[in-house]
Amino acid sequence: MSGWQALPDDLPPEVRHFVEQLRRLKDRTGLSLVALGARTAYSKSSWHRYLNATQPPPRQAVAALCRIAGLDGTDAERFTVRWELAVQAWPRPASATEGDRGSATEGGKASGGERGEVSGGEGYEDDPTLPWWDEPPRRKPGGINRLLLAAVLLLVLLLAVGIAGAVASG
């Protein structure tokens, strides 16, 4: 693959294969990293990190590249499977701890239930360039219960005012 910097020798085979396929797919689009960044929600520098195996791409970035490259459903699904295998095998930074948000943003572990979760409960947190419209809604525990309680109380109050008005007017 001409024009690409050499991948690190110590990459697991799943990661190496995925990144090579990702590079081929990017080359197939004929877009520069700047143009690719403009057509997706991911910056030029994010694509640079993904395509040089310094950070695993989020699933949404891979889906966006597949869409731009014109992959159909079956080929895009195969690419997603390659992504899942690569993310599971991706080397974890030794210095990043769960509490160290500076390192975790660049490729630290996500806590369970995050978008970047992979099997086994460990995964990479998605790229911070993910647009707000692709993020799942984040709710506080008990948030729906409080909203439901407020709605019920409002309904009871409305009924009480209506009954009181009906009694007062005769």
Side-chain angles (χ1 to χ4, degrees):
M1 285 183 281
S2 62
W4 292 105
Q5 73 182 47
L7 293 172
D9 293 332
D10 59 346
L11 275 182
E14 298 90 351
V15 175
R16 179 174 297 281
H17 178 69
F18 173 73
V19 172
E20 288 171 351
Q21 294 298 315
L22 196 66
R23 287 175 169 187
R24 284 189 188 107
L25 192 60
K26 186 263 177 210
D27 287 344
R28 179 174 149 179
T29 67
L31 298 173
S32 67
L33 291 180
V34 173
L36 185 59
R39 302 253 327 252
T40 66
Y42 303 91
S43 67
K44 170 192 169 193
S45 59
S46 292
W47 280 111
H48 184 269
R49 289 190 304 270
Y50 307 152
L51 294 164
N52 287 304
T54 56
Q55 180 181 354
R59 181 188 302 263
Q60 295 89 346
V62 174
L65 182 57
C66 287
R67 201 170 33 255
I68 290 168
L71 290 186
D72 64 7
T74 306
D75 289 335
E77 286 177 31
R78 284 190 194 121
F79 224 87
T80 301
V81 170
R82 286 187 198 117
W83 173 83
E84 289 171 357
L85 293 171
V87 169
Q88 288 175 5
W90 212 283
R92 306 304 197 254
S95 64
T97 62
E98 279 190 303
D100 182 9
R101 298 303 298 159
S103 298
T105 303
E106 286 300 313
K109 295 177 186 175
S111 60
E114 293 289 326
R115 288 168 295 163
E117 184 180 61
V118 293
S119 66
E122 289 188 8
Y124 282 93
E125 196 170 301
D126 280 351
D127 190 276
T129 60
L130 180 67
W132 60 268
W133 58 84
D134 280 348
E135 289 185 17
R138 295 178 189 211
R139 295 191 174 116
K140 296 178 185 174
I144 293 177
N145 294 338
R146 282 186 246 156
L147 182 62
L148 184 59
L149 178 63
V152 168
L153 288 175
L154 186 60
L155 181 61
V156 169
L157 180 64
L158 189 59
L159 284 174
V161 168
I163 292 171
V167 169
S169 64

